[in-house]
Every structure is written in structure tokens, then in C-alpha cells.
Amino acid sequence: VNPVDSMLLYSKGHLTVQLNKIGISHPNTLVTENIDKAHEFASGLLDAGKPVVLKPICRGRGIGVVRLDRIRSRSDLLQYLMWYNRSFGQGVFYLQEYVPNLGYDVRCMVVDGEVVGREKRSNPEDFRYNVAAGGIAEPFDDPVYDELSIKVAEAVDLRITGIDVLPTPDSGPCLLEANCFPGYTALIDATGIPIHAKIVD
């Protein structure tokens, strides 16, 4: 259903570029194939007391998403980046400054230019709120992020997408992800909204 060109082009790196173009709040991000640049970016944030998140460029469900602030030394960090690139990175480092938040994110399911369902996801045991990583899904009835979600879906040209928004205590919502293969089983379980039927319609 999603345009083939959009599916082939899509990655977290592509999303970062598009969000910067349209001026939507997004974590401070570096996308690079250069391990020295990745090490410099992560070290700079860690030295400033800011946690860093490392993500695979093209995976979902929270797989391979890690925080780097528990690594003891900068030489250990370099070794970890080398290992991570072989295991998850596919030659690309996607690093983000960790954004302090309210302890949950909101998934807005967009189908053909309309938000058809929303869920609030939290995880007291982990900074990843994905249900697949142990998060808990609840209904989220406030349409406050609908306009933002539709704008992002249009920017990445996806007719079906799960937009992940991170509410923050000080700086408004931060856009985390626009999933081109969004899971919606947890959303159906939490809300009773028949997402699959809406996609078929």
C-alpha cells in the first residue's frame, strides 16, 4: 500500500533529513559511516553529561537500541562501536542525544492521511517504550499530536505509518520515528480499534 519508492528510500537517516527540512523537533542526531566521527559525537555528549542512544539504521521493535552512558572509558566506547557496527550497524552509525521525557511515548497510527488510533506506551524497566521490548500500551485519546503526525507522514510519503512522539517536560513534543512497517497488534489490544479493517477500507 505504501509507495514503493518511499519504502526503498526510508530509513531513520532519511527521516532525520526530512524532519530537519520541515523544522520538526527531533533529537540531536548524527548519521555517519565514519567511526571516528561517531566516537567524537558520542564522547562529546557523554563528556557533557548527556546520555547517548545508538540505534540500527533499519530495524524496529527496539531491537539493537542501546544507551552508551554506562560504558566506562572512551577506548571501551570505540571498541563497542566497532562491535556494534558488525552486529547491527550495517556500516552506518545512527546516534542520538537522549531526550529527557515524561516516561512514555505516543504512537499515532496514520492511515491515508488520518490518525485512526493512538496509544500511550511506557516501560518502568527500560528506556525503550516499544511493546515488543516489554512496554505497556494504553489508550491515548487526546488528538494533540494528530496534526504533527499527519505532517510527518506526508513528509516521508507513507500512507500507512506509526508515528512515535515523545512528550517532553520543557520543550514540547519530540518526533522519534515514522515506521514504514508499523506494528499495530498492541494498539488494537489497548483500544479495540480495528486498525487492520481501516487499512483494508
Side-chain angles (χ1 to χ4, degrees):
V1 176
N2 280 324
V4 172
D5 288 347
S6 299
M7 300 284 281
L8 293 174
L9 184 61
Y10 188 79
S11 70
K12 290 181 175 67
H14 174 66
L15 175 69
T16 296
V17 170
Q18 295 306 110
L19 293 178
N20 287 337
K21 281 183 180 178
I22 60 178
I24 289 179
S25 178
H26 185 56
N28 179 18
T29 301
L30 175 72
V31 187
T32 183
E33 295 179 348
N34 185 314
I35 191 169
D36 293 326
K37 293 288 185 185
H39 185 256
E40 179 183 348
F41 179 84
S43 295
L45 288 172
L46 292 170
D47 289 345
K50 299 177 179 179
V52 182
V53 178
L54 177 61
K55 300 179 178 180
I57 194 79
C58 284
R59 287 203 183 186
R61 302 182 182 276
I63 296 170
V65 178
V66 296
R67 278 178 56 168
L68 300 179
D69 36 303
R70 293 186 179 91
I71 295 177
R72 290 172 296 181
S73 70
R74 295 300 169 257
S75 61
D76 287 348
L77 174 61
L78 186 61
Q79 290 182 357
Y80 184 82
L81 289 171
M82 292 172 64
W83 170 84
Y84 186 94
N85 199 27
R86 290 192 301 269
S87 302
F88 296 103
Q90 299 175 301
V92 180
F93 299 96
Y94 185 86
L95 294 138
Q96 290 185 324
E97 180 180 345
Y98 175 78
V99 177
N101 58 82
L102 301 180
Y104 64 91
D105 71 5
V106 176
R107 161 71 60 89
C108 294
M109 188 73 187
V110 179
V111 176
D112 206 21
E114 177 187 358
V115 173
V116 298
R118 307 173 206 90
E119 63 182 328
K120 173 183 174 181
R121 305 182 305 180
S122 59
N123 188 346
E125 306 297 328
D126 201 317
F127 77 99
R128 299 172 300 167
Y129 300 142
N130 312 68
V131 173
I136 301 164
E138 307 170 65
F140 187 83
D141 297 326
D142 191 339
V144 62
Y145 304 126
D146 286 10
E147 184 177 344
L148 172 65
S149 298
I150 292 166
K151 186 175 182 180
V152 173
E154 289 174 351
V156 293
D157 194 26
L158 294 173
R159 293 184 66 193
I160 298 173
T161 179
I163 304 293
D164 296 341
V165 183
L166 187 69
T168 67
D170 303 315
S171 55
C174 185
L175 202 292
L176 292 179
E177 181 64 282
N179 299 273
C180 58
F181 288 105
Y184 47 80
T185 303
L187 177 54
I188 293 174
D189 291 344
T191 65
I193 298 169
I195 303 297
H196 54 298
K198 292 182 178 293
I199 292 171
V200 172
D201 290 346

